[in-house]
Amino acid sequence: MGDTVEDTLQRMEYRVIELLEKRIGGALSGHRLEEILNDEAREGWMLKSITHADVKGRIGPGAVEGLIITFERPVA
């Protein structure tokens, strides 16, 4: 009885956070980013990626500068 592919692969779940410059009142700060990373780590989330992006605004044609932060953790 060998292991199946499902037995050897770890199932993961993901969380995506949009950190918009506008929401934090000015330039994206390292301190604010550090708080988010530590808060998520306490809940078992591991940083997967950080992407700089112009996120299209909900109102009007403009874009808002920000970060898209992706976390992952094993499914319990």
Side-chain angles (χ1 to χ4, degrees):
M1 287 192 187
D3 289 337
T4 65
V5 172
E6 290 80 19
D7 293 335
T8 58
L9 292 178
Q10 174 68 53
R11 290 185 30 203
M12 303 298 280
E13 62 180 333
Y14 296 89
R15 175 178 289 181
V16 176
I17 296 175
E18 291 177 357
L19 181 60
L20 306 180
E21 181 178 15
K22 184 172 162 181
R23 277 166 96 191
I24 60 174
L28 297 169
S29 72
H31 179 71
R32 178 68 182 124
L33 179 57
E34 184 178 322
E35 284 179 354
I36 290 170
L37 295 174
N38 285 326
D39 288 347
E40 297 302 319
R42 280 189 281 278
E43 293 184 26
W45 293 100
M46 295 175 285
L47 179 64
K48 178 77 174 168
S49 68
I50 297 179
T51 306
H52 177 265
D54 290 331
V55 181
K56 192 164 188 145
R58 289 186 172 80
I59 300 174
V64 175
E65 187 174 340
L67 299 175
I68 298 174
I69 308 168
T70 305
F71 296 91
E72 69 178 1
R73 70 178 176 190
V75 175

